[in-house]
Amino acid sequence: EAPRKSWLDKLRQGLRKTGSSIAQVFTGTRIDDALYEELEAALLMADAGVKATEYLLEDLKRRVKEAKATDPTAVRGMLVVSLTELLRPLEKGLAVGEHTPTVMMVVGVNGAGKTTSIGKLTRHLADADQKVLLAAADTFRAAAREQLSVWADRTRVEIVSQEGGDPSAVTFDAVTAGRARGCDVVIADTAGRLPTQLHLMEELKKIKRVIGKAQADAPHQVLLVVDGNTGQNALSQVKAFDDALGLTGLIVTKLDGTAKGGVLAAIARERAIPVYFIGVGEKLEDLQTFNAREFAQALLE
Ligand code: GDP
């Protein structure tokens, strides 16, 4: 129980910047237009985006009317319920064990926390007795390969890496090796230049195609790592990568220090792709499964 509490504290501390300003809206004595206007501004400030904000306000007003609420504190409780229900579709566990190996391709722009998240995910899987193989498909950046090797050593898993090779060839080799060695999971780390650079998406599409050649029906997961601290930018990335690759899941990092945590509401409203994990720090135990209710409470209380 203890570690769980500490990560929730980190999440709360991060979201408090936003949370306190949203919670602030409900400290008055009246439920009036001014309250809803303040709430709208606070949700937009938290990067919930126009669509999710409009949706939440309407849903909340309906609940308030139905319950004939008169106390702003009760209204805040209703907002927790509205937000929880909005976020619920994002709540989903990452399934492994249906394929041998389960092949995961991890994408995201540089600095989002991709390599760190892969390291944490690897530990999570290794702890669950899964045999993991890492593929360093970012063949251009030596630092990316080195960083991934450090994680491979730390978590005692094998890695397929090749300096300056073709990213899709390295991935093909890794998936083939994973099958031959009876691995449970193969995780491919990919390059992360800006998503606006067409070339990156083409390279990633090629990797995806080639994975399918090494193992029919793979990749089983195409995971995007996004920095939660970039707010609406994170939503743009979700859309761009999903349009190009068809994402199966998200890892939202850096929620331990952000005033923009409302972006999860925007993602839920505009591109409801499961959030398998959230990152609340740089340590191994800081990768946590996403829970809609806990998140809504951390954001609003
Ligand atoms: P990549 O370029 O996407 O592979 O990003 P890295 O994995 O190298 O991470 C970039 C930086 O973000 C590193 O300093 C990480 O320690 C840090 N980082 C990653 N995830 C989190 C997180 O959830 N919270 C915080 N505070 N920092 C993180």
Side-chain angles (χ1 to χ4, degrees):
E1 275 304 298
R4 187 161 175 82
K5 185 170 178 293
S6 82
W7 82 259
L8 253 179
D9 285 343
K10 280 191 201 169
L11 178 64
R12 280 206 200 94
Q13 264 162 26
L15 299 179
R16 190 161 295 156
K17 297 175 197 166
T18 337
S20 58
S21 56
I22 301 178
Q24 199 67 37
V25 172
F26 303 101
T27 52
T29 50
R30 294 178 53 190
I31 303 169
D32 52 14
D33 287 348
L35 180 145
Y36 288 115
E37 270 168 37
E38 267 182 57
L39 178 59
E40 182 177 16
L43 286 169
L44 291 172
M45 283 285 287
D47 267 37
V50 175
K51 287 180 188 163
T53 298
E54 275 175 9
Y55 167 81
L56 284 170
L57 281 171
E58 253 173 54
D59 192 57
L60 181 63
K61 284 178 185 170
R62 183 184 56 77
R63 285 176 197 274
V64 169
K65 205 171 155 189
E66 260 174 34
K68 299 192 177 71
T70 52
D71 174 13
T73 309
V75 180
R76 190 187 61 189
M78 289 172 195
L79 183 59
V80 172
V81 177
S82 287
L83 181 59
T84 301
E85 285 184 11
L86 176 62
L87 295 175
R88 190 84 75 196
L90 305 186
E91 210 182 79
K92 198 178 166 195
L94 177 61
V96 290
E98 284 166 29
H99 311 272
T100 321
T102 296
V103 182
M104 304 183 187
M105 175 178 170
V106 186
V107 300
V109 303
N110 282 339
K114 189 155 42 71
T115 314
T116 309
S117 297
I118 289 173
K120 294 176 189 172
L121 178 60
T122 302
R123 166 61 64 85
H124 182 87
L125 293 166
D127 282 351
D129 285 330
Q130 300 286 309
K131 189 176 174 190
V132 181
L133 178 73
L134 295 177
D138 184 350
T139 55
F140 297 108
R141 281 199 319 151
R145 277 200 316 279
E146 276 159 25
Q147 212 190 337
L148 199 67
S149 320
V150 170
W151 279 109
D153 288 345
R154 214 181 274 176
T155 52
R156 291 192 200 85
V157 306
E158 290 176 72
I159 180 166
V160 173
S161 177
Q162 187 193 318
E163 192 186 328
D166 173 30
S168 47
V170 173
T171 314
F172 184 91
D173 288 349
V175 175
T176 308
R179 296 183 71 179
R181 296 176 201 173
C183 291
D184 299 300
V185 184
V186 174
I187 304 176
D189 184 19
T190 62
R193 285 159 300 227
L194 285 175
T196 44
Q197 290 170 310
L198 187 67
H199 182 67
L200 172 63
M201 289 306 184
E202 291 313 312
E203 176 181 307
L204 296 176
K205 282 183 196 169
K206 187 174 170 197
I207 291 175
K208 191 182 171 193
R209 268 198 314 275
V210 166
I211 288 175
K213 286 187 181 150
Q215 184 179 349
D217 81 6
H220 308 100
Q221 297 289 345
V222 182
L223 306 177
L224 173 68
V225 179
V226 281
D227 178 346
N229 201 20
T230 63
Q232 288 293 301
N233 227 326
L235 176 64
S236 310
Q237 287 171 19
V238 169
K239 288 179 177 171
F241 279 94
D242 187 39
D243 288 344
L245 298 165
L247 298 174
T248 60
L250 306 176
I251 297 176
V252 183
T253 62
K254 307 189 193 181
L255 289 169
D256 49 314
T258 186
K260 298 175 178 176
V263 69
L264 271 140
I267 291 172
R269 190 66 189 158
E270 296 189 49
R271 206 59 75 100
I273 297 166
V275 175
Y276 287 129
F277 298 99
I278 57 173
V280 291
E282 299 182 85
K283 296 211 195 80
L284 270 172
E285 64 272 21
D286 293 333
L287 190 73
Q288 291 286 338
T289 51
F290 173 72
N291 178 287
R293 186 164 190 94
E294 281 171 353
F295 191 88
Q297 279 171 339
L299 189 68
L300 302 173
E301 284 173 1

